[in-house]
Amino acid sequence: MLHVFMQELLEAPLFVSLHNLCAILKCTNPTMVMLQSAIRNAGYQVSGSHVDPLALKTDAPMSVIWDIMRCWV
């Protein structure tokens, strides 16, 4: 498994839990790489979170995250 270590976004005070998003949508989790790539391709910054391995920090608005997850479903 390839791990890419990058600095956590300090500008984003909150994190988004991929597990919670998928529980709400009742779907399987996309890989973190897929979700991070989709966010970056939308023009936003993204990083992992030290709080949870299935969480991410981003400057993307929640509407963008929900659009990405709707496309995943």
Side-chain angles (χ1 to χ4, degrees), residues 6-57:
M6 51 196 225
Q7 189 171 359
E8 187 172 327
L9 287 177
L10 299 176
E11 299 84 28
L14 304 175
F15 66 91
V16 177
S17 169
L18 180 58
H19 179 73
N20 289 345
L21 288 175
C22 291
I24 291 168
L25 295 171
K26 296 180 179 25
C27 68
T28 59
N29 292 2
T31 66
M32 286 301 285
V33 172
M34 289 172 55
L35 185 56
Q36 288 179 349
S37 292
I39 293 170
R40 282 192 192 97
N41 286 332
Y44 298 97
Q45 294 180 338
V46 64
S47 74
S49 173
H50 71 281
V51 176
D52 179 358
L54 288 178
L56 54 89
K57 294 180 84 171

